[in-house]
Amino acid sequence: RGVCQRTRAPGKERSRLEGEALGFREGGTGMFASGWNQTVPTEEAGSMAALLLLPLLLLLPLLLLKLHLWPQLRWLPADLAFALRALRCKRALRARALAAAAADPEGPEAGCSLAWRLAELARQRPAHTFLIHGSRRFSYSEAERESNRAARAFLRALGWDGGPGGGDSGTRSAGEGERAAPGAGDAAAGSGAGLAGGNGAARAGGVAALLAPGATVALLLPAGPEFLWLWFGLAKAGLRAAFVPTALRRGPLLHCLRSCGAGALVLAPEFLESLEPDLPALKAMGLHLWAAGPGTHPAGISDLLAEVSAEVDGPVPGYLSSPQSITDTCLYIFTSGTTGLPKAARISHLKILQCQGFYQLCGVHQEDVIYLALPLYHMSGSLLGVVGCLGIGATVVLKSKFSAGQFWEDCQQHRVTVFQYIGELCRYLVNQPLSKAEHGHKVRLAVGSGLRPDTWERFVRRFGPLQVLETYGLTEGNVATINYTGQQGAVGRASWLYKHIFPFSLIRYDVTIGEPIRDPRGHCVATSPGEPGLLVAPVSQQSPFLGYAGGPELAQGKLLKDVFRPGDVFFNTGDLLVCDDQGFLRFHDRTGDTFRWKGENVATTEVAEVFEALDFLQEVNVYGVTVPGHEGRAGMAALVLRPPHSLDLMQLYTHVSENLPPYARPRFLRLQESLATTETFKQQKVRMAEEGFDPSTLSDPLYVLDQAAGAYLPLTPARYSALLAGDLRI
């Protein structure tokens, strides 16, 4: 019937094939979280190993005392407990994946990891609340039906007409050799991408298909239910989604859409006004444009939600989204890199599966209520927050925008037990006036990243008792750390148990030349306790690095070779961490020219290029400066005017606002006669950052970005004092 042989393989054989694709060969290795490449033993072998290890464990304290490692021994019970939790998590995800591999290809539980997990939850917990957004609530059963409607709308755009029965017997996968639309660069999102022969000429009711098989559909939407239904629907239809940061416009937006090879763009109606100057360029790119809601739309833009609501809500066949390989790209998330403009990080089906285990690793349960106020175009919001919630079948309270003043009232109203943060959100909360709602809440756990030790202590003291679980990870990375002990200021552990399950290393790094330090044999050198080192992780079939959409040059510098032995390959996180004598990891700094602000990476080259487009500027040096009371580093730009021009602050502010997302806009400006450079004519960023922005110590004219005024204003001593006091918001 035109169905590829893989989807029609007998159940047991298909289970074996899919299991091997996941790395689950009998007696072999497999991976569900970064570095989970442990052998899955039989119960008998496990019992024997435990008996053999028991004497060693009894002797271990004496050995560690002899080696002066007693500081780490005290954390051994916590290390063992987390290792067991990680192995249980891996076993549960493995069982789910193998069950999906053995399922009927016509059924919804045979699809990609998102599709079969949602179908499973709709069957197991149909009435349990999955999503709360404002006054709207959706059960898992309703989420399944809403995403089915969206999937059918996208499939119809592909030229597929499944009809009310759930599948058209004449429309099947064209085979495993089909590939995505040009520019995508890897296998199609699902085996269903071969619809209608994969030539984009499919027709439904005589109307030409709007999307090519395996196409990428970009979502430019705020956080809300519609974002989720469209994302899940794209996954079920075997299409890729690309999560575009909502603040991007003009050049950066067009760059992102080109880099991921988008064939369509779904945008929020409230963004149409600000996107009006971009519409001609978007149409010239050949993008099909949808609006996610009603309204008066420009010509050529239709209401996608109206099309979705007209579809039936029955399940779609799983073979449409079942991936050819577990490492196929199913999603793009944009991340700012050291090359400048945002890069489209490839997210694989494997990574989606890994993220289903995130909250289980954090000790969150299915009866918990999770508060999520992070952007869904960010990995923390979509993959860890939403997919992690699906992994345990819990409830998520989704906010389109974070409100520090409303937070504790929301927690009281919805009986929130888990809060997912980035460090800035916690700082906003501790800076709020006291309120009655912050007492008597049920929040027991805060999970996230980027929490400064001073804010951490204030947060727990004021809002506790609650546990803070700080994590570390990168969107495109193959390594993650979790501070499962709650040790203040740490991002994880470097115990031998943790590194055995999630392998990584810290190596010596020369910040002056921006390269790892190597020994006479050309190999990297591991750091000592207390010494900052570059975090790297081995790349393997079980712990891959998929890179970015586009050419291989985008991943330049992300892979290090011959790290510890000839031929090995490690992923370079670009981050410096410190491991103390107790085995705790603490974030130290980012390497190179990239810094973090408002939970986002800011590439100085990207910001400098925007400034250099102004004709009255001759030279620009962009760097990050530490601001008391704020996480990360704020952007600062040193400027040299092009004679005979003068500084036009109004034009500069307008240009920056139109071409840079809010987090990348420099908060401070410094006007100089000439820029300081090194002997090799490289810009002095470190020295400039150390000099800061204090008008009492710098003679150069200084300016600060006043958010309330919407302008760059002279940084006077009075404004500097207001900034330090928290009265001037940057």
Side-chain angles (χ1 to χ4, degrees), residues 657-670:
S657 299
E658 288 183 351
N659 291 278
L660 287 174
Y663 63 84
R665 298 167 190 167
R667 267 49 183 177
F668 305 99
L669 305 178
R670 180 176 177 179

Side-chain angles (χ1 to χ4, degrees), residues 211-297:
L211 298 175
T216 296
V217 177
L219 302 181
L220 186 62
L221 302 170
E226 291 73 25
F227 187 112
L228 299 185
W229 312 150
L230 296 177
W231 169 23
F232 298 164
L234 286 168
K236 291 182 176 185
L239 298 171
R240 296 185 186 91
F243 296 166
V244 181
T246 55
L248 293 184
R249 298 293 186 272
R250 314 299 182 264
L253 172 63
L254 300 179
H255 162 81
C256 288
L257 296 174
R258 290 191 187 100
S259 67
C260 68
L265 172 65
V266 184
L267 51 91
E270 59 265 34
F271 295 159
L272 273 171
E273 182 178 354
S274 63
L275 284 168
E276 187 175 356
D278 296 318
L279 292 181
L282 294 173
K283 293 177 180 178
M285 290 172 59
L287 291 174
H288 181 75
L289 301 179
W290 275 301
T296 304
H297 304 320

